């Protein structure tokens, strides 16, 4: 009843465990961005169908996967290689799909992030993600931390899927978020130049989860002292301290990521200001 999509690029470290958690599925597809490690071999050995496409952007890669792959089933569960699906969630998803109404085109699932063996129960920014969608009814936008838009009703599923963002080590996490922060800074500048208006009402009360998060993030980027605010929010407001050392570490890394964005945004604004002055001369 459900197909699975996994987006990969050099995921030999994580892919085997992800695929092992999907033994219940008879239609697993891997869209690979021409990995140079054993990713493709691991996927094929596990019985997954592999399609390769040169990476251009996160949103377009995922949209290409949803639109161009020949899936066996009408519903697609979207995963990353560092994520796992417990049997209890697989059972719940199949039950919900079997009973779904025509107006429902997506399901939101809670994600459990781990640092080592510690579940970051309190210190996650956003625990819910739309990951199960009806084909032809969903699309991605934004180039980083992409947002999945669904035409129709999105319901919430009981249960969790598991995520191991630090499985490749802190250096890999920092390198990845160094790249993300560059993209976030450029996105902020583009939105600033485009005079995009972010709504406090939508940020607080929108019934569309993706729209709500989009406006929250846009408004948050206008606040000074964001890295410190983010740390306080995760540690104190969300009670990340209850997650112990893992919660404090995660909050600190998230604040560092936010500081990267601040630094790079300011750098881009300085360059834009200098360029503008030179043009006027």
């Amino acid at each position: 009843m459900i197909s699975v999509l996994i987006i990969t690029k050099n995921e030999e470290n994580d892919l085997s465990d992800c695929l092992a958690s999907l033994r219940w599925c008879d239609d697993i597809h891997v869209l690979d961005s021409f990995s140079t490690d054993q990713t493709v071999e691991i996927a094929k050995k596990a019985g997954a169908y592999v399609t390769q496409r040169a990476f251009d952007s996160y949103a377009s890669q995922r949209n290409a996967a949803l639109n161009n792959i020949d899936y066996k089933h009408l519903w697609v569960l979207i995963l990353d290689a560092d994520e796992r699906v417990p049997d209890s969630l697989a059972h719940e998803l199949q039950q919900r799909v079997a009973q779904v109404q025509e107006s429902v085109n997506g399901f939101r699932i809670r994600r459990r992030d781990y640092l080592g063996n510690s579940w970051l129960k309190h210190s996650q920014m956003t625990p819910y993600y739309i990951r199960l969608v009806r084909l032809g009814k969903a699309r991605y936008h934004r180039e980083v931390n992409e947002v999945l838009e669904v035409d129709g009703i999105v319901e919430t599923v009981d249960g969790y899927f598991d995520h191991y963002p630090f499985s490749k080590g802190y250096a890999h996490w920092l390198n990845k978020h160094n790249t993300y922060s560059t993209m976030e800074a450029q996105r902020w500048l583009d939105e600033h130049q485009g005079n995009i208006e972010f709504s406090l009402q939508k940020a607080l009360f929108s019934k569309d989860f993706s729209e709500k998060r989009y406006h929250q993030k846009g408004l948050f980027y206008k606040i000074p002292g964001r890295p410190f605010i983010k740390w306080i929010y995760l540690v104190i407001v969300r009670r990340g301290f209850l997650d112990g050392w893992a919660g404090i570490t995660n909050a600190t890394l998230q604040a560092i990521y936010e500081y990267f964005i601040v630094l790079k945004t300011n750098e881009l604004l300085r360059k834009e200001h200098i360029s503008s002055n030179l043009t006027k001369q």
Side-chain angles (χ1 to χ4, degrees):
M1 285 186 280
I2 298 173
S3 298
V4 171
L5 167 66
I6 308 171
I7 308 291
T8 61
K9 176 65 184 288
N10 293 335
E11 293 289 357
E12 65 179 10
N13 182 73
D14 291 316
L15 186 57
S16 293
D17 288 340
C18 179
L19 292 168
S21 75
L22 300 172
R23 292 192 180 97
W24 52 271
C25 180
D26 64 351
D27 189 47
I28 302 172
H29 294 265
V30 171
L31 180 66
D32 181 70
S33 301
F34 290 98
S35 294
T36 56
D37 63 2
Q38 297 298 306
T39 295
V40 171
E41 289 77 4
I42 291 170
K44 289 181 177 179
K45 186 177 179 179
Y49 301 98
V50 177
T51 303
Q52 290 189 295
R53 179 182 187 271
F55 180 86
D56 49 6
S57 76
Y58 292 102
S60 63
Q61 195 78 342
R62 292 184 181 276
N63 284 330
L66 288 175
N67 296 330
N68 300 329
I69 290 176
D70 185 19
Y71 295 99
K72 181 178 180 179
H73 304 296
L74 186 61
W75 288 87
V76 178
L77 177 64
I78 304 164
L79 297 173
D80 292 329
D82 58 359
E83 295 170 341
R84 316 283 180 262
V85 178
D87 290 341
S88 58
L89 176 61
H91 180 70
E92 173 68 16
L93 293 178
Q94 291 175 91
Q95 279 194 323
R96 294 294 293 271
V97 167
Q99 302 167 0
V100 70
Q101 298 177 353
E102 286 296 326
S103 58
V104 176
N105 289 324
F107 289 97
R108 189 179 298 111
I109 311 169
R110 185 171 182 179
R111 190 178 76 184
R112 292 190 292 199
D113 286 354
Y114 283 83
L115 197 163
N117 294 321
S118 298
W119 174 24
L120 301 171
K121 182 177 182 180
H122 302 280
S123 53
Q124 282 183 251
M125 281 295 295
T126 309
Y128 287 97
Y129 296 83
I130 301 171
R131 288 303 189 88
L132 182 61
V133 297
R134 193 191 297 266
L135 280 177
K137 299 296 183 180
R139 73 195 62 82
Y140 284 92
H141 72 92
R142 293 182 82 232
E143 293 306 304
V144 61
N145 293 323
E146 56 276 12
V147 175
L148 181 57
E149 291 182 339
V150 175
D151 296 330
I153 297 172
V154 177
E155 294 185 344
T156 301
V157 174
D158 292 331
Y160 305 82
F161 67 104
D162 297 325
H163 179 220
Y164 297 88
F166 301 99
S167 60
K168 299 182 184 70
Y170 293 119
H172 179 271
W173 190 95
L174 287 165
N175 286 335
K176 182 171 70 173
H177 282 76
N178 183 36
T179 300
Y180 286 173
S181 63
T182 301
M183 297 173 71
E184 285 280 17
Q186 185 62 56
R187 182 191 63 79
W188 183 93
L189 186 65
D190 292 343
E191 290 178 347
H192 178 72
Q193 291 173 332
N195 295 316
I196 293 177
E197 301 248 350
F198 294 99
S199 166
L200 179 61
Q201 182 178 1
K202 290 181 179 178
L204 294 176
F205 304 113
S206 175
K207 294 182 179 179
D208 185 301
F209 182 79
S210 295
E211 180 181 62
K212 188 175 184 178
R213 286 290 300 156
Y214 178 75
H215 286 274
Q216 285 176 346
K217 205 173 187 77
L219 292 172
F220 181 57
Y221 275 18
K222 297 177 182 291
I223 300 175
R226 293 198 325 265
F228 178 69
I229 293 172
K230 192 170 189 177
W231 193 90
I232 292 296
Y233 175 74
L234 288 172
V235 174
I236 306 300
V237 178
R238 293 295 298 268
R239 299 182 299 165
F241 65 90
L242 295 176
D243 294 328
W245 171 85
I248 300 298
T249 300
N250 180 63
T252 303
L253 288 170
Q254 293 293 338
I256 290 171
Y257 171 50
E258 203 64 44
Y259 189 50
F260 284 173
I261 298 172
V262 171
L263 289 175
K264 293 176 182 182
T265 300
N266 290 336
E267 183 179 51
L268 288 173
L269 288 172
R270 284 196 299 272
K271 289 180 178 178
E272 183 188 51
H273 179 69
I274 291 172
S275 177
S276 177
N277 287 339
L278 290 174
T279 302
K280 291 177 182 179
Q281 290 178 1

